[in-house]
């Protein structure tokens, strides 16, 4: 075989090795990407678990949408402060069972005389989540309200 033939074969072999190297790199990248995707799917999602609480609304402010709520069966120490919830829902259920979605403030949270601040004790069921804001205190959020009477 001539020198030109040998050089040509060497060039072809070099090109094949380069193509195989590129193909292997692409395959490795695809496998790594799919592996990362599956690992991401298996990780814990940062979602809140809602809890349903029944109790008494002891204080409410319609303007700030904050309420003080005492959960049934929870004994508070004398130096415990009120548990304050931020009401973030526009959907609520009145005592008759009618579901409201009209952005009105739940009747069992407001004052009987229409005042913005109420200290009337109303029974309610709250669906709540606790929001970890990274500080010492968690923010208690009512995401659903059901008036009990």
């Amino acid at each position: 075989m001539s020198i030109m033939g040998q050089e040509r074969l060497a060039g072809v072999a070099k090109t094949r090795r380069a193509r195989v190297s590129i193909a292997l790199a692409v395959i490795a990248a695809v496998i790594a990407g799919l592996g990362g995707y599956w690992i991401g799917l298996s990780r814990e999602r940062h979602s809140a678990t809602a809890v349903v609480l029944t109790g008494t609304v002891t204080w409410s402010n319609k303007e700030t949408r904050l309420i003080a709520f005492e959960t049934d069966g929870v004994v508070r120490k004398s130096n415990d402060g009120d548990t304050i919830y931020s009401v973030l829902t526009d959907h609520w259920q009145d005592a008759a069972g009618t579901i409201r979605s009209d952005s009105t403030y739940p009747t069992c949270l407001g004052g009987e005389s229409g005042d913005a601040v109420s200290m009337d004790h109303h029974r309610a069921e709250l669906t709540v989540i606790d929001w970890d804001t990274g500080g010492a205190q968690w923010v208690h959020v009512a995401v659903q309200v059901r008036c009990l009477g």
Side-chain angles (χ1 to χ4, degrees):
M1 185 180 277
S2 70
I3 294 178
M4 294 268 295
Q6 289 176 352
E7 287 177 2
R8 186 168 182 268
L9 285 176
V12 169
K14 187 175 180 181
T15 302
R16 283 186 182 161
R17 281 193 300 272
R19 286 182 181 166
V20 168
S21 295
I22 290 171
L24 289 174
V26 168
I27 290 170
V30 168
I31 290 171
L34 288 174
Y37 174 76
W38 286 108
I39 289 171
L41 286 179
S42 67
R43 293 186 65 194
E44 180 181 336
R45 299 282 184 238
H46 296 282
S47 60
T49 302
V51 177
V52 177
L53 303 175
T54 303
T56 304
V57 177
T58 59
W59 174 87
S60 171
N61 186 324
K62 183 177 181 178
E63 292 174 359
T64 63
R65 297 184 73 90
L66 295 175
I67 63 171
F69 187 76
E70 291 183 0
T71 305
D72 290 348
V74 175
V75 179
R76 290 183 356 166
K77 297 176 186 169
S78 59
N79 61 347
D80 284 346
D82 290 329
T83 303
I84 304 295
Y85 288 87
S86 179
V87 180
L88 295 184
T89 183
D90 288 331
H91 308 284
W92 58 279
Q93 186 175 4
D94 66 19
T98 304
I99 296 175
R100 310 287 179 131
S101 297
D102 54 5
S103 301
T104 58
Y105 195 63
T107 54
C108 59
L109 304 183
E112 291 185 17
S113 62
D115 294 337
V117 176
S118 169
M119 295 186 68
D120 301 331
H121 286 77
H122 294 285
R123 300 281 299 151
E125 179 183 273
L126 304 179
T127 303
V128 301
I129 59 172
D130 289 328
W131 177 19
D132 182 1
T133 60
Q137 296 287 331
W138 287 50
V139 176
H140 305 295
V141 179
V143 295
Q144 185 173 353
V145 176
R146 184 174 144 227
C147 299
L148 298 178

